[in-house]
Amino acid sequence: MTTQKNGQFVRRPLIAGNWKMNMDHMQAIALVQKLAWTLDDASHDYERVQVSVFPPFTDLRGVQTLVVGDKLSLDYGAQDLSPQDSGAYTGDIPGGFLAKLGCTQVLIGHSERREIHGETDELLNTKIDAALRHELAPVLCVGEGLEIREAGNHVNHTLAQVEAALSGFSAEQLAELVIAYEPVWAIGTGKTAGPEDAQEMSAAIREKLAELYSQEFADSIRILYGGSVKSANVAAILSGADVDGALVGGASLDAEEFAKIAQFEKHITA
Ligand SMILES: O=C[C@H](O)COP(=O)(O)O
């Protein structure tokens, strides 16, 4: 995902669409088709900017068939996985099944999983382990709620989430890790953290990775921002030196809007 050029790491931006619990398997095919056509029409360079979608589990087989059949350059992954590989875990989906469906990435610890399903940092640590066992790149979601932000504890809170979730893994194991910073108060609310807030937290996360592992490792890891990202604000948010992409919720359900977000470089007016 990350290459080295003249001794400097060049992080390939990632625009990721988290569909959440939207789009049945038929709608998923229509959305992926329209997204691919729209990006093709815009001559999207996937080598330059990676584009991934995270549909519900029941859509993944259809998405795989389409992506493979039409040789699409889109990547796709799941919104969650079980920490276990098989057995009596009713309702859960293991990483091995996702890998067989061609998933390359998996979201771990989205704030809705943390809040609605009570997922703890300790559980997320085991989910990262499961993702790594099946060669799925973990997209670890972190971020603070409004009360924590207002109390001024957002940096400490978010860094503690990062440290706990990554505990026990080596830099080699985490080579494909992606971290998504999503302030919970900005998710689906229309409120976005300012570009300075996104940069502040991304820089703090990178510094934490350097402290836990090495500067080289920290410089290779992509850090995304999520929370009410749209085509109108994506360029400003991604202008931060440490912000390497976006995890997009609502706006990823509209193919044209999501394609515009993926084409964020075209909106940069400097
Ligand atoms: O995973 C995506 C985030 O929760 C952001 O969602 P949103 O773009 O609808 O605010």
Side-chain angles (χ1 to χ4, degrees):
M1 290 305 153
T2 300
T3 52
Q4 231 180 341
K5 194 175 167 188
N6 302 329
Q8 294 284 344
F9 277 101
V10 182
R11 295 183 294 270
R12 179 187 179 204
L14 167 61
I15 302 296
N18 174 13
W19 295 0
K20 308 192 178 184
M21 199 171 71
N22 296 293
M23 301 287 157
D24 64 30
H25 70 289
M26 297 301 288
Q27 294 170 316
I29 291 170
L31 178 55
V32 169
Q33 265 171 340
K34 189 167 180 192
L35 177 61
W37 290 334
T38 311
L39 286 170
D40 280 355
D41 285 350
S43 303
H44 186 77
D45 182 351
Y46 289 91
E47 287 303 313
R48 187 168 171 81
V49 178
Q50 184 179 18
V51 182
S52 296
V53 292
F54 293 84
F57 289 130
T58 50
D59 297 355
L60 290 170
R61 176 62 175 148
V63 170
Q64 178 190 36
T65 303
L66 181 61
V67 166
V68 172
D70 287 5
K71 298 189 174 56
L72 303 182
S73 302
L74 288 165
D75 289 290
Y76 57 91
Q79 298 173 14
D80 184 34
L81 86 171
S82 169
Q84 311 295 338
D85 287 343
S86 65
Y89 301 100
T90 303
D92 288 351
I93 303 290
F97 292 2
L98 301 176
K100 280 203 167 165
L101 286 169
C103 292
T104 53
Q105 301 171 324
V106 62
L107 300 183
I108 293 180
H110 189 279
S111 63
E112 288 147 18
R113 303 281 329 162
R114 293 177 188 259
E115 280 186 5
I116 302 168
H117 298 277
E119 296 196 356
T120 61
D121 291 325
E122 292 68 32
L123 174 69
L124 302 180
N125 183 272
T126 65
K127 289 192 172 193
I128 292 177
D129 195 37
L132 298 176
R133 282 199 300 278
H134 298 286
E135 297 184 3
L136 297 164
V139 180
L140 171 68
C141 304
V142 295
E144 81 286 354
L146 187 58
E147 277 181 21
I148 294 170
R149 161 74 51 165
E150 285 176 345
N153 291 332
H154 50 290
V155 175
N156 286 345
H157 173 88
T158 302
L159 297 185
Q161 287 180 326
V162 170
E163 187 162 3
L166 301 185
S167 170
F169 300 113
S170 67
E172 291 70 29
Q173 286 178 295
L174 296 175
E176 298 298 326
L177 171 73
V178 174
I179 295 182
Y181 167 58
E182 300 201 301
V184 180
W185 48 272
I187 294 178
T189 59
K191 291 181 192 162
T192 34
E196 319 72 40
D197 299 318
Q199 168 56 24
E200 176 203 34
M201 190 64 83
S202 301
I205 292 171
R206 204 174 301 288
E207 211 174 296
K208 172 58 76 177
L209 295 176
E211 178 196 314
L212 293 174
Y213 297 97
S214 68
Q215 190 63 51
E216 187 185 4
F217 174 77
D219 287 342
S220 75
I221 295 299
R222 294 179 295 178
I223 301 174
L224 316 183
Y225 168 79
S228 298
V229 173
K230 12 188 202 297
S231 59
N233 59 23
V234 64
I237 291 168
L238 268 62
S239 64
D242 290 289
V243 185
D244 305 313
L247 181 56
V248 184
S252 70
L253 301 175
D254 176 332
E256 286 178 6
E257 173 65 3
F258 188 56
K260 274 192 202 160
I261 294 171
Q263 295 265 299
F264 67 92
E265 289 168 306
K266 293 190 180 162
H267 314 308
I268 298 171
T269 50

